[in-house]
Amino acid sequence: MLQDQEVHAAEFEHTFIAIKPDGVQRGLIAEIISRFERKGFKLVGIKILTPSKEFAQKHYHDLTERPFFNGLCEFLSSGPVIAMVWEGQGVISYGRKLIGATDPQKSEPGTIRGDLAVVVGRNIIHGSDGPETAKNEINLWFKPEELVNYTGNSEKWIYEAN
Ligand code: IDP
Ligand code: MG
């Protein structure tokens, strides 16, 4: 029976997604969460916080040499951010597809940045760019006990049995 199939969590990966202060202030929290949720990905961690500038610098440590680094860290720490961990098969790379290209002028329509943002410095959302970054960013933003392990009610309708 399809309803009784087992979905094994072993293939599920995790990614770190943040709604930046512009996305929060523009009232886009539900819109953004909804896109990940409707796709079939599962929310396993969420909180709202205003990161310090030092914390923002840690988050963007690989961009320290870029000319926009200071402004970027000022901006990320300028107001509340929604920090999330999403789970699912392929969620790291597909999450990036849902988000769209870094510069909203180049993001495809249908993506979050393509539909909802206009300039690169106000592109409303962050998503981990690979497995290693995802692990590091989740560890930076969340304590293990802040993440929830559960079976989603529709998982057996989203995945095939394996
Ligand atoms: P990503 O967010 O798509 O992974 P990254 O290259 O990691 O893009 O850059 C991190 C963030 O830095 C971007 O989301 C954007 O907000 C900002 N950023 C990137 N390039 C520029 C730029 O040329 N000018 C201003 N801000 C930039
Ligand atoms: Mg990046």
Side-chain angles (χ1 to χ4, degrees), residues 96 126-127 129:
R96 295 279 295 187
H126 167 85
D129 63 9

Side-chain angles (χ1 to χ4, degrees), residues 133-154:
T133 342
K135 202 191 302 170
N136 294 340
E137 291 175 352
I138 292 167
N139 286 338
L140 176 66
W141 288 80
F142 285 90
K143 300 185 184 115
E145 61 268 27
E146 292 175 320
L147 302 178
V148 186
N149 182 17
Y150 66 103
T151 302
N153 194 40
S154 6

Side-chain angles (χ1 to χ4, degrees), residues 20 60 63 68 72 96 101-102 113 120-121 123 125-127 129:
K20 298 178 185 179
Y60 281 127
L63 298 175
F68 55 83
L72 175 63
R96 295 279 295 187
T102 303
R113 286 168 173 166
V120 69
N123 63 4
I125 181 167
H126 167 85
D129 63 9

